[in-house]
């Protein structure tokens, strides 16, 4: 199976990298770009008996390793055969 | 015996051992990250600075799951003193031994400078050699040292006296100007609630020789040595 997990910086936490990218957009002349938040996208290949089992495993993995709950949120975007 | 943990990418491990030996006459064993246990005679654990596991994913995130960190957690839960500097602080936060997290410096630049931190409370095992309110001059060198936690956690840290060090002016005033990285409430170091685990971004092991900027790091390392000697 293939899965995508999206990890984002929580809205209330400052994202200095996103801010820098936003400023770079401004200086390139894209005046309408008012905010950028930088996250991570994990493309994962895994073996699992069912989509449910895969999602359970991915939830666990996200909480344990892929995201730090103090500053980040995660979302399992898709699980495909 | 003191134990200094070596992760792949640690780079202050030998500095830490040298500082303990040359300035405090304390022997420290180097302990490999794959070791499942600390040496049986371990009296204190030091997690050094560096870039463990390349800082991949998040600083300290991979180290959290190395075998030795499980042993360090057990040691800390039994009340053993654990001190993490820089990457060691990041590992302590990622592994849940300390609350909060260190994120990218707000200005995005790597900072490497001698600066001032104020000792918020003189107490064993980490700051008994300093007076409460004393200003120490200790270097920092990091790109991801902005201490971050939610307001509730920060209030709890203040209430419980868990804030050990704050970035300050030379006279001890805690100001935005003295904050090198965007750390919330100028936090440079915190302890756990029990007080036996300290994480700090400054490097006390790099402030033990008058010829390279001062000996204020001994206020912290020396306190730990005193605490172990008293046991």
């Amino acid at each position: 199976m293939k899965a995508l997990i999206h990890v984002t910086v929580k809205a209330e936490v400052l994202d200095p990298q996103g801010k820098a990218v936003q400023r770079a957009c401004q200086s390139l002349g894209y005046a309408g770009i008012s905010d950028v938040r930088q996250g991570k996208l994990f493309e994962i290949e895994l073996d699992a008996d069912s989509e449910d089992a895969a999602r359970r495993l991915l939830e666990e993995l996200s909480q344990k390793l892929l995201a730090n709950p103090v500053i980040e949120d995660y979302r399992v975007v898709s699980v495909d055969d | 015996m003191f134990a200094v943990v070596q992760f792949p990418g640690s780079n202050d491990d030998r500095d830490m051992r040298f500082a303990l030996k040359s300035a405090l006459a304390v022997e420290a064993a180097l302990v490999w990250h794959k070791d499942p246990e600390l040496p049986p005679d371990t009296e204190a654990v030091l997690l050094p600075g560096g870039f463990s596991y390349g800082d991949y994913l998040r600083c300290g995130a991979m180290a959290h799951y190395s075998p030795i960190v499980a042993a360090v957690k057990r040691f800390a839960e039994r009340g053993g003193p654990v001190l993490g500097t820089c990457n060691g602080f990041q590992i302590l936060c990622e592994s849940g031994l300390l609350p909060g997290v260190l994120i990218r410096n707000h200005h995005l630049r790597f900072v490497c400078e001698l600066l001032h931190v104020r000792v918020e409370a003189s107490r064993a095992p980490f700051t008994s050699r300093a007076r409460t309110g004393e200003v120490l001059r200790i270097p920092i060198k990091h790109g991801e040292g902005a201490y971050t936690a939610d307001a509730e956690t920060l209030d709890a840290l203040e209430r419980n006296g868990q804030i050990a060090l704050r970035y300050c002016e030379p006279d001890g005033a805690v100001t935005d100007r003295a904050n090198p990285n965007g750390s919330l409430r100028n936090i440079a170091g915190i302890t756990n609630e029990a007080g036996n685990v300290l994480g700090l971004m400054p490097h006390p092991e790099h402030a033990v020789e008058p010829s390279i900027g001062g000996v204020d790091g001994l206020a912290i390392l020396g306190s730990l040595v005193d605490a172990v000697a008293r046991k």
Side-chain angles (χ1 to χ4, degrees):
Chain A
M1 288 183 177
K2 285 191 174 184
L4 290 179
I5 297 179
H6 190 192
V7 174
T8 50
V9 180
K10 283 185 196 242
E12 64 273 23
V13 175
L14 181 77
D15 174 14
Q17 296 178 91
K19 271 263 175 296
V21 174
Q22 188 256 340
R23 282 197 299 270
C25 295
Q26 297 272 340
S27 62
L28 283 170
Y30 298 101
I33 306 283
S34 58
D35 193 24
V36 176
R37 310 281 292 172
Q38 183 177 322
K40 299 182 182 119
L41 186 67
F42 294 91
E43 302 175 2
I44 296 174
E45 300 216 12
L46 75 161
D47 295 322
D49 294 334
S50 65
E51 188 185 323
D52 274 357
R55 283 186 180 275
R56 275 198 300 279
L57 183 149
L58 293 165
E59 285 283 329
E60 193 180 312
L61 181 68
S62 300
Q63 289 169 20
K64 266 193 187 168
L65 183 67
L66 302 184
N68 180 329
V70 177
I71 45 165
E72 293 170 326
D73 292 320
Y74 67 89
R75 190 165 62 88
V76 179
V77 179
S78 63
V79 179
D80 298 311
D81 282 333
Chain B
M1 177 74 86
F2 280 43
V4 176
V5 178
Q6 285 183 304
F7 299 97
S10 294
N11 61 15
D12 293 323
D13 40 345
R14 285 168 195 279
D15 304 52
M16 183 63 87
R17 192 161 77 149
F18 174 84
L20 290 167
K21 170 102 176 147
S22 85
L24 294 157
V26 167
E27 293 288 343
L30 292 173
V31 179
W32 189 231
H33 69 117
K34 285 191 171 163
D35 291 355
E37 294 293 343
L38 292 160
D41 55 349
T42 299
E43 298 169 303
V45 175
L46 300 132
L47 302 182
F51 302 85
S52 59
Y53 303 87
D55 273 354
Y56 298 146
L57 190 61
R58 298 176 306 276
C59 301
M62 306 287 201
H64 169 196
Y65 290 107
S66 63
I68 196 65
V69 169
V72 173
K73 276 185 170 178
R74 291 193 294 274
F75 179 79
E77 279 156 16
R78 290 197 304 270
V82 177
L83 186 152
T85 56
C86 200
N87 190 225
F89 187 9
Q90 294 162 344
I91 293 167
L92 290 171
C93 287
E94 277 285 341
S95 61
L97 280 168
L98 292 175
V101 66
L102 286 312
I103 67 166
R104 187 68 65 99
N105 295 345
H106 287 191
H107 48 60
L108 294 171
R109 291 186 301 278
F110 191 94
V111 284
C112 181
E113 58 185 275
L114 252 176
L115 47 60
H116 299 89
V117 290
R118 191 176 76 188
V119 176
E120 297 295 300
S122 168
R123 79 161 69 110
F126 302 112
T127 51
S128 58
R129 278 200 190 186
R131 282 170 286 110
T132 296
E134 187 172 339
V135 175
L136 305 177
R137 194 157 165 267
I138 300 183
I140 57 167
K141 53 179 179 86
H142 60 250
E144 290 172 296
Y147 183 76
T148 303
D150 60 30
E152 202 177 309
T153 304
L154 293 168
D155 290 344
L157 289 174
E158 306 251 16
R159 219 172 30 245
N160 301 336
Q162 289 176 249
I163 300 175
L165 302 168
R166 285 187 219 259
Y167 300 110
C168 67
E169 305 279 348
D171 67 359
V174 173
T175 63
D176 285 345
R177 195 179 59 176
N179 187 335
N181 53 25
S183 288
L184 298 180
R185 304 192 192 179
N186 280 45
I187 288 172
I190 57 166
T191 68
N192 62 348
E193 216 174 329
N196 65 310
V197 177
L198 170 70
L200 72 169
M201 288 314 294
H203 288 268
E205 79 281 15
H206 291 151
V208 299
E209 299 270 359
S211 59
I212 53 165
V215 296
D216 285 2
L218 295 175
I220 291 162
L221 296 179
S223 298
L224 181 57
V225 171
D226 292 348
V228 167
R230 271 196 302 273
K231 278 199 173 165

